Amino acid sequence: MTTQAWRRYLTFWRTDVEADVDEELRFHLEMREREYAAAGRQPDHAHAEALRRFGSLASVRDSCTQIGRERERRVRFRDFVATIRNDVVFATRQLVRNRGFTLAAVLTLSLGIGANGLVLSVVNAVLLRPIPGAVDPSRVVEVSGTSVSYPSYRDFRDANPALSGLAAYANRTTAVSNGKRTEVMPVDAVTGNYFRVLGVRPALGRLLTDRDGDPGAAPVAVLSPGTVARFFPGEPDVVGRSIDLNGVPVTIVGVADRDFRGIHLDSPEPIWTSVQTWMALAPTSFDGKTLERRGWSWLTMVGRLGPGATIAQARAALDISAARQEAAYPRYAEGLAKAIASSPIAPIGDGALSSVAHETTIRAAAVVTIVVMIVLLICCANVCNLLLARGMSRRREMGVRLAIGARASRIVRQLLTETVVLTVLAAAVGLALTQAGILALNQVDLVGAVSTTTLGVHVDGRVMIYMIVIAVVAGVAFGLAPALQGARSSVTDALKDSTPGAGRARSNGQRLLLIGQVAMSLTLVIGAGLFTRSLQRALAINPGIDATHVAVASVNVGLIRRDSARAGQIYDAVTKQLTSIAGIRFAGWASTLPLDEGSDSYGFSLDDYVLPPGATSELEVSDVSPQFFSAFSIPLVRGRVFTEHDGPADPHVAIINETMANRYWRGRDPVGKRVLFGGDTVTVVGVVRDIKYHELREPAQPFLYRVLDQHLQTSGLVPVNLVVRTTEDPAAALGVMQRVLHEVAPEVPVYAQSTFAERSGHTIFAQQLGASVLGVFSVLAVLITAVGIYGVVGYGVTQRTREIGIRVALGARRRSVLGLILTENARLVAAGLAIGLVLSAAATRALSSFLFGIGATDVVTYATAILLLLAIGGAAALVPALRATKIDPVIALRTE
Amino acid sequence: MVRQSVELFQGTLDVLILKAVSWGPVHGYSIARWLQQTTDDVLRVEEGSLYPALHRLEGRGLIAAEWGLSENNRRAKFYELTAKGRQQLRVEASTWARFADAVSRVLATGQPQGRTA
């Protein structure tokens, strides 16, 4: 039964091959039977004899059917291709003929598609693209979270059958100089097989190998093209040249492949050198023996999974090796097994950004993608309205074609092809827009070292395919309704040239689209509004400091020389020189700044207070110079601030913040109390007001300041920040700071100079990004919607010219005509706003984690957005409405 | 051994069919009867193998098919030679003639001269 039905279905589309073959063979057999019967045989005898003479009926039928089907397939394919080609040619001709329409549609769509392409390029680079320059990075895994020593790494390497290669690296900040230019930048100390494991190729020269780790091997380094461009501008052939790392000259043996930027895309490109070379140039007095010390853990392991191996297998092997090491070297490898067991082992492709960034980045990416999709939908709605309107003018053509026998499905397919050709054209233009957008973004520096150039945002194959796919999908989705409308054109209506019914149907479609556009625009505007207000709130949060006239810079004396006395001298000299300059009020030093992303914390205990069990025994500390508090205008609440009399030889003192005072000494005077750190005891001499230490939204926490001069051994030889308070523009102070630092300590590189406002920009990054992205796209959406309203209302006016003419002729006043048009429009907009409100309330719930100080249903934002859209909606309809009032009834009634 | 004869046979059958349809539209049964008569029943083919050959030739464009009415008003498929088929027939016929000629000449010779047995 079902085969029969299937065969009937097939015959609808093409000839029934099986039936034909059956009939032909049956004819032959009947003729043969007849012949035998005529010769006097019995009928069933004749039948059997005919069959026997024929041979195997079944196999003959099968081969004939097969041949027939294949032929059918070939013919059908040829026909199909021919129809498509015809449709495309016809569609192109139509588009060329209606240039105005085509231009409007292509421009609108290209904006939507281009915006989508731009967003996807960025998302692609940030989240989806694996490490560029490495071979098959999804098979390369990193054991993050645990550092191992070099001998320990060797043990792991030799005992892991699941990994085809295990390398290790350590990322260290280094002063890099070529005599003319000094920078503080990261250096990756890597094992000899690092590049081999990753599968990176050299662009020039060679990459590091195991031989570079041999004792006595010359110190060598590999650069990235970006580094070469910075240090040797215009001289790309750097192989054989020398560059100084921490003052030690090192020979450049090669340049890594253009695309390779290291395995952590959120840090700047490093310089690569061997682990052994690093030993020679590290600022501490290391020797070859240090490298072999089993207790000195500093390397992170990264390895490539062998063919068919899984992460679980690699982990199992690592666990076994760790257990073995722990057993063999109980003193040094204690806790190694546990550390390895709890370390995440993940492909480096996944973790291109740090995992924290990942989570928020994914959410941000999702939001932006949705936003830009909505913009595209709005564009498509406009084009759909254009198509519906144009459909009217082609009514006659369609009606006649249907009347002379064209299949409705053919017409639909043809109209759809037109739309798809349109959208593909728009995609091509959109591609150009995307490229332009990327170029524009490249000029903008996003927060931190992460800019679109660092990430390598560009249009690759994936993005292009995505754009074409959404173009085609959009074309089909939004072309379907107008195409179906076109195929329904009644020929009598067409010839009569008056279609009250069909016109109404078209208008309904247009009205629905318009309502949708308004709703979506409202959502975007509300989103933008929420972010903007949230940004305002964030900017208004008092971080506890006065950051308006502050400039900062960072130095790392320890990179050049591990001499704490010298470091102290430098800090004091710089302070003295700077404060003597007019325009600079205070100059101080701090190991961590307010609103710093990093922190130093130490285990502590108190003299007269037993910490309750479960309470944290770590305290955040910053080592500062006396003028620090004045530089940031942090008010003193009790006691005193540091002075020059708190020197290295004087009793160690500290200043705490209010939260700490209240938490441990509530109601009593904390001044004079002692805080005990590992090897050091400090006495509290003062209490200052709380400030925001990391983030604007953080809860209150205890904090302690020590004197930098009293802790030079630890804090003086690591990165330290210079803080300067000026009377005028802090940016102007940067040059002065640089000059003084250079005078006092020319060998110490300075980096990260900026105003404090710039440095702390990360705290409002999400709000800024949200406000700007949503702001831009919501403006775009509103504009396109306004154009859409203008178009639809205008079209409605044209359609109803006769009706309006009659009204005016019957005595209606211009004003009532205006009112008629505007009220109808207002009703549509209001309906759209109502739907949009519901949509927004639901959608913005997802944004609430990004928002600051206001809820996702902030009344002010909603109200403003609604009023804004009402006004714009009204204004867009005004022009065609005014046109309606000028309709001359005589002309209107005479023409159509 | 069997396959070889079938293939050889198929090529031969093709040229026979081309000839059979060269005078005008005939249906499959007529072709079978004509072959039977003309070769004096010497070439006894399994009639079934005629039809796949017919359809293949149609697919190659050497013969054209059309449904029509037979002499006793039954619906049957009629085959006719196309221009391309006519050319192919000419070529195949001459090839076959030369082949047959060569084979019969070999078979008709006596013992070759100047050769020890």
Side-chain angles (χ1 to χ4, degrees), chain B residues 21-23 62 81-91:
Chain B
V21 303
S22 62
W23 294 290
L62 298 174
L81 202 59
T82 62
K84 192 170 162 199
R86 204 167 290 276
Q87 190 172 8
Q88 180 78 1
L89 175 60
R90 257 201 303 270
V91 169

Side-chain angles (χ1 to χ4, degrees), chain A residues 430-764:
Chain A
L431 197 69
L433 285 179
T434 305
Q435 290 280 33
I438 291 178
L439 279 176
L441 270 186
N442 281 347
Q443 313 297 340
V444 169
D445 209 23
L446 302 175
V447 168
V450 178
S451 72
T452 45
T453 29
T454 322
L455 296 174
V457 176
H458 70 273
V459 177
D460 67 3
R462 226 194 294 210
V463 174
M464 279 200 272
I465 292 179
Y466 175 78
M467 287 171 80
I468 296 197
V469 166
I470 57 174
V472 171
V473 168
V476 170
F478 283 91
L480 200 59
L484 289 175
Q485 290 260 9
R488 278 209 289 267
S489 315
S490 148
V491 64
T492 42
D493 284 343
L495 294 176
K496 260 195 297 174
D497 215 22
S498 67
T499 58
R504 187 67 53 82
R506 261 181 247 272
S507 305
N508 274 344
Q510 287 183 326
R511 287 204 191 99
L512 278 175
L513 285 170
L514 200 73
I515 293 178
Q517 282 180 312
V518 171
M520 291 189 283
S521 295
L522 183 69
T523 314
L524 290 184
V525 171
I526 287 179
L530 286 174
F531 269 111
T532 313
R533 291 205 67 200
S534 156
L535 182 64
Q536 285 176 332
R537 291 286 175 93
L539 288 174
I541 286 187
N542 183 11
I545 55 177
D546 180 6
T548 47
H549 292 281
V550 178
V552 296
S554 303
V555 300
N556 191 344
V557 178
L559 278 183
I560 302 299
R561 214 182 320 171
R562 310 287 299 182
D563 182 353
S564 54
R566 169 86 181 120
Q569 279 175 357
I570 294 176
Y571 302 143
D572 288 338
V574 169
T575 310
K576 218 170 283 209
Q577 278 206 28
L578 279 175
T579 42
S580 68
I581 296 179
I584 294 186
R585 295 185 54 200
F586 302 106
W589 297 85
S591 58
T592 58
L593 293 172
L595 297 176
D596 204 311
E597 288 175 297
S599 68
D600 292 325
S601 43
Y602 301 98
F604 78 111
S605 59
L606 297 172
D607 227 2
D608 60 346
Y609 185 97
V610 175
L611 297 167
T616 174
S617 59
E618 298 247 319
L619 183 64
E620 278 194 40
V621 173
S622 181
D623 294 331
V624 303
S625 73
Q627 293 191 32
F628 169 79
F629 301 99
S630 316
F632 278 113
S633 299
I634 303 177
L636 183 70
V637 179
R638 227 190 162 92
R640 66 169 179 87
V641 286
F642 301 141
T643 65
E644 302 93 50
H645 299 297
D646 299 308
D650 301 306
H652 287 190
V653 293
I655 294 179
I656 62 176
N657 71 349
E658 281 183 308
T659 303
M660 183 163 179
N662 287 335
R663 187 174 293 194
Y664 303 121
W665 296 289
R666 183 183 286 282
R668 298 176 288 156
D669 188 2
V671 175
K673 299 285 189 276
R674 300 192 313 164
V675 180
L676 296 80
F677 296 104
D680 188 33
T681 308
V682 293
T683 313
V684 178
V685 295
V687 180
V688 291
R689 189 111 325 135
D690 275 16
I691 66 175
K692 298 289 180 192
Y693 300 100
H694 305 296
E695 267 209 338
L696 294 174
R697 278 191 291 181
E698 65 187 20
Q701 62 175 93
F703 201 90
L704 184 139
Y705 302 92
R706 302 186 307 191
V707 183
L708 180 62
D709 275 347
Q710 294 176 343
H711 295 89
L712 289 171
Q713 238 86 2
T714 46
S715 302
L717 297 175
V718 292
V720 174
N721 304 289
L722 172 64
V723 182
V724 164
R725 180 171 208 87
T726 65
T727 47
E728 347 90 0
D729 179 21
L734 291 173
V736 175
M737 288 157 72
Q738 183 103 13
R739 187 169 49 81
V740 169
L741 280 164
H742 193 77
E743 274 176 30
V744 172
E747 76 278 13
V748 174
V750 181
Y751 58 102
Q753 309 94 306
S754 68
T755 64
F756 184 70
E758 283 166 13
R759 180 84 88 98
S760 56
H762 66 89
T763 50
I764 47 172

Side-chain angles (χ1 to χ4, degrees), chain A residues 203-263:
Chain A
L204 266 184
R206 67 167 178 88
L207 299 174
L208 299 175
T209 64
D210 293 314
R211 301 275 294 283
D212 294 311
D214 290 344
V220 292
V222 171
L223 269 53
S224 70
T227 317
V228 169
R230 281 206 311 279
F231 281 88
F232 302 98
E235 308 158 63
D237 188 14
V238 295
V239 176
R241 292 182 69 159
S242 168
I243 195 168
D244 282 358
L245 302 180
N246 280 350
V248 174
V250 156
T251 316
I252 303 174
V253 290
V255 179
D257 188 275
R258 186 170 49 93
D259 290 331
F260 186 62
R261 275 184 212 91
I263 61 178

Side-chain angles (χ1 to χ4, degrees), chain A residues 29-258:
Chain A
L29 286 170
E30 275 180 18
M31 295 293 278
R32 188 59 78 183
E33 272 181 43
R34 186 142 343 141
E35 190 187 318
Y36 284 154
R41 306 249 194 121
Q42 302 281 26
D44 25 299
H45 234 254
H47 183 79
E49 184 60 30
L51 265 179
R52 192 193 55 81
R53 188 172 172 151
F54 191 80
S56 164
L57 179 61
S59 75
V60 168
R61 186 205 290 148
D62 280 345
S63 38
C64 286
T65 319
Q66 208 173 346
I67 298 172
R69 284 236 177 85
E70 246 180 68
R71 214 174 57 232
E72 284 284 307
R73 259 199 297 266
R74 271 200 311 250
V75 168
R76 254 183 312 127
F77 184 70
R78 264 202 309 259
D79 279 349
F80 181 69
V81 170
T83 0
I84 298 281
R85 204 174 52 100
N86 285 346
D87 281 347
V88 169
V89 167
F90 186 72
T92 321
R93 245 193 316 194
Q94 286 293 93
L95 290 177
V96 168
R97 211 176 291 163
N98 294 291
R99 263 184 280 259
F101 161 79
T102 310
L103 204 64
V106 167
L107 276 180
T108 319
L109 278 176
S110 63
L111 277 176
I113 297 179
N116 271 277
L118 185 64
V119 166
L120 186 76
S121 300
V122 175
V123 169
N124 196 22
V126 169
L127 287 181
L128 301 173
R129 231 167 40 140
I131 306 292
V135 167
D136 200 4
S138 58
R139 299 292 293 170
V140 179
V141 295
E142 184 180 5
V143 183
S144 44
T146 302
S147 308
V148 295
S149 64
Y150 192 60
S152 177
Y153 148 74
R154 276 205 304 259
D155 287 343
F156 280 118
R157 179 194 64 194
D158 296 336
N160 200 319
L163 296 173
S164 66
L166 183 68
Y169 73 96
N171 185 277
R172 292 288 185 268
T173 320
T174 311
V176 177
S177 162
N178 69 341
K180 290 187 286 252
R181 185 196 169 99
T182 311
E183 260 186 42
V184 171
M185 54 180 288
V187 163
D188 274 359
V190 303
T191 54
N193 57 353
Y194 178 78
F195 287 109
R196 197 162 22 97
V197 164
L198 286 177
V200 179
R201 308 266 282 282
L204 266 184
R206 67 167 178 88
L207 299 174
L208 299 175
T209 64
D210 293 314
R211 301 275 294 283
D212 294 311
D214 290 344
V220 292
V222 171
L223 269 53
S224 70
T227 317
V228 169
R230 281 206 311 279
F231 281 88
F232 302 98
E235 308 158 63
D237 188 14
V238 295
V239 176
R241 292 182 69 159
S242 168
I243 195 168
D244 282 358
L245 302 180
N246 280 350
V248 174
V250 156
T251 316
I252 303 174
V253 290
V255 179
D257 188 275
R258 186 170 49 93

Side-chain angles (χ1 to χ4, degrees), chain A residues 20-21 23-25 27-28 30-32 34-35 50 53-56 60 63-64 67-68 71 74, chain B residues 27 29 32-33 36 41 44 46-48 51-52 55-56 58-59 67 70-72 74-77 79:
Chain A
D20 279 355
V21 167
E23 192 164 356
E24 190 177 3
L25 298 181
F27 173 77
H28 180 109
E30 275 180 18
M31 295 293 278
R32 188 59 78 183
R34 186 142 343 141
E35 190 187 318
R53 188 172 172 151
F54 191 80
S56 164
V60 168
S63 38
C64 286
I67 298 172
R71 214 174 57 232
R74 271 200 311 250
Chain B
H27 54 65
Y29 182 69
R33 290 223 55 187
Q36 187 187 342
D41 234 6
R44 226 171 202 254
E46 262 191 358
E47 297 185 337
Y51 285 92
H55 287 196
R56 256 191 293 270
E58 186 192 349
W67 285 94
S70 72
E71 46 277 3
N72 48 0
R74 307 292 305 280
R75 195 162 169 262
K77 207 169 180 190
Y79 296 91

